[in-house]
Amino acid sequence: MEENKMRMQNEVPNLEIGNLIYTIRGKQVMLDSDVANLYNYQTKRINETVSRNKERFPGNFCFKLTEEEIEELKRVNMVISRDQENNWSQFATSLKNENSKYRGRKYLPLAFTEQGIAMLSGLLKNTIAIQVSINIMNAFVEMRKFMNTNGPIFERLTSVEYKLLEHDKKFEEVFNQFQIEENVKQRIFFEGQIYDAYSLIIDIIKKANKKIFIIDNYIDDSVLKMLTKKKKSVEVVILTSDKSDIQNLDVQKFNKEYPMLKVAKTDRFHDRFIILDDKEMYHLGASIKDLGKKCFGINKIEDMKIIEKIISF
């Protein structure tokens, strides 16, 4: 039985072991779960060995990963797994299900450098430890040569990847903005399109950078819930009538978390309007609280003279 285990470990090529080597904090390391699989140990036994011999494992030999580093490893592994269907990690994981690389917030895995693994191999009492250690050391050497040879290429690829991500992000923002502009110039909603109508109003609210001016005679707390989607620094002014079902207490509670909201009463308006940053206005054919209950339209008004007249009315 022991000979079979040893034969299995000896047959693992250095390249496959190399797939278990990561660069973290500028060091080439292996995770405790992968080391445990190679040595045919339980991960907790590996960690117990380190705990009992702390003086033998300084920071340049072994260190605990942070949650941010674990998330980055997950991201890297997702990219690698698309290109390497027979990745050694899949074989290693199949050996011991309990040796998952990522075991949640309560457990932060250990990372071993080449020196740390060499120290660990001298403490493990198992017949395959010597040959496995030789294989691991060879894999570290080969990986180091590979990185030294191809380092400049990886740096350029990383730079290109970040630039592409930035471009994708900017393109997505511009594309989404175009979609919003197209959607709100003129839209008709029919009875039952409640979600679509509310979604569009929220998109409008999110566009404001400084101020939202709402004119609606029938405001209630459902409108306040929609206004929680605004940008944090945006001021909100609501002109409404005495018929509104909105209380001073509602306004006070809203302002404690999403300042600043002001409500004033007037009977000078019949229609509903939303004005953004004193320069962009939307006419609503229904009260905001009744969106989607009956057929109505939303129209964007682009004449600045009309906008200025409504604001000063």
Side-chain angles (χ1 to χ4, degrees):
M1 182 70 175
E2 196 67 35
E3 290 180 359
N4 291 336
K5 292 178 181 177
M6 188 170 184
R7 191 179 300 113
M8 181 181 68
Q9 298 293 347
N10 289 341
E11 290 173 355
V12 178
N14 290 343
L15 178 60
E16 292 180 342
I17 296 177
N19 287 336
L20 304 177
I21 298 176
Y22 304 95
T23 300
I24 303 175
R25 304 183 194 178
K27 303 177 186 296
Q28 289 183 321
V29 300
M30 291 182 67
L31 300 186
D32 54 8
S33 56
D34 291 327
V35 173
N37 282 325
L38 289 172
Y39 281 118
N40 198 36
Y41 269 77
Q42 291 183 335
T43 305
K44 63 181 179 180
R45 299 306 177 199
I46 295 290
N47 293 335
E48 286 172 0
T49 301
V50 174
S51 297
R52 288 195 301 265
N53 299 273
K54 290 182 180 180
E55 70 283 355
R56 295 175 181 264
F57 293 93
N60 60 328
F61 279 35
C62 176
F63 55 85
K64 186 170 290 189
L65 299 189
T66 64
E67 292 178 5
E68 291 75 16
E69 289 168 337
I70 293 173
E71 290 303 316
E72 179 63 16
L73 275 180
K74 289 180 181 179
R75 187 188 69 81
V76 171
N77 269 352
M78 286 176 64
V79 173
I80 292 174
S81 64
R82 289 198 294 265
D83 300 324
Q84 298 180 356
E85 293 182 0
N86 295 320
N87 192 299
W88 162 245
S89 296
Q90 295 175 355
F91 169 72
T93 302
S94 69
L95 289 177
K96 288 184 179 358
N97 291 331
E98 59 117 16
N99 277 340
S100 173
K101 284 186 179 69
Y102 319 113
R103 288 182 283 279
R105 292 177 178 269
K106 291 184 178 180
Y107 175 86
L108 297 176
L110 293 176
F112 291 91
T113 64
E114 185 175 352
Q115 298 95 321
I117 291 175
M119 178 64 70
L120 182 65
S121 66
L123 297 173
L124 298 178
K125 308 299 182 182
N126 135 333
T127 56
I128 67 172
I130 295 176
Q131 186 57 50
V132 169
S133 298
I134 292 172
N135 291 344
I136 292 175
M137 295 303 109
N138 288 338
F140 268 101
V141 171
E142 291 182 14
M143 182 63 69
R144 192 157 52 246
K145 289 179 181 178
F146 179 79
M147 293 298 293
N148 288 338
T149 302
N150 298 282
I153 296 176
F154 287 137
E155 288 180 5
R156 289 198 295 270
L157 287 174
T158 301
S159 177
V160 170
E161 180 184 2
Y162 279 123
K163 287 180 181 178
L164 287 174
L165 287 173
E166 285 298 316
H167 288 161
D168 287 346
K169 183 178 179 182
K170 290 178 182 178
F171 177 80
E172 185 177 358
E173 290 175 355
V174 172
F175 182 74
N176 288 339
Q177 188 62 32
F178 279 145
Q179 281 190 315
I180 292 174
E181 290 292 339
E182 184 65 26
N183 283 340
V184 298
K185 279 188 176 181
Q186 187 175 46
R187 286 290 302 274
I188 299 295
F189 294 93
F190 296 91
E191 184 177 357
Q193 288 186 273
I194 298 175
Y195 177 80
D196 291 343
Y198 270 80
S199 295
L200 184 58
I201 294 299
I202 288 173
D203 283 340
I204 292 174
I205 288 171
K206 288 180 177 179
K207 290 178 65 179
N209 293 312
K210 296 179 180 179
K211 184 178 181 180
I212 300 173
F213 189 33
I214 296 177
I215 300 172
D216 191 329
N217 287 334
Y218 299 95
I219 295 292
D220 63 9
D221 59 356
S222 68
V223 178
L224 299 188
K225 291 177 182 177
M226 298 176 71
L227 287 170
T228 62
K229 305 298 183 181
K230 72 180 180 69
K231 294 174 184 175
K232 188 174 181 180
S233 59
V234 172
E235 177 188 7
V236 180
V237 176
I238 296 177
L239 287 184
T240 189
S241 70
D242 291 327
K243 301 174 183 178
S244 288
D245 185 20
I246 186 170
Q247 307 298 322
N248 289 333
L249 183 59
D250 295 327
V251 176
Q252 292 173 10
K253 289 181 178 179
F254 183 92
N255 277 327
K256 287 182 179 179
E257 193 169 354
Y258 305 98
M260 181 65 184
L261 168 65
K262 300 176 183 177
V263 178
K265 298 295 180 69
T266 181
D267 58 359
R268 304 183 70 181
F269 293 93
H270 177 274
D271 284 8
R272 281 70 48 180
F273 301 93
I274 298 178
I275 304 173
L276 308 179
D277 301 325
D278 292 339
K279 61 181 182 181
E280 193 171 321
M281 185 167 77
Y282 300 90
H283 173 255
L284 282 64
S287 179
I288 298 176
K289 73 179 184 64
D290 295 324
L291 297 177
K293 293 183 178 180
K294 294 182 180 180
C295 181
F296 77 101
I298 296 178
N299 298 283
K300 183 177 181 180
I301 297 175
E302 298 178 330
D303 190 329
M304 280 302 301
K305 290 182 179 179
I306 295 177
I307 297 173
E308 291 170 0
K309 191 169 184 178
I310 290 292
I311 292 173
S312 61
F313 189 64

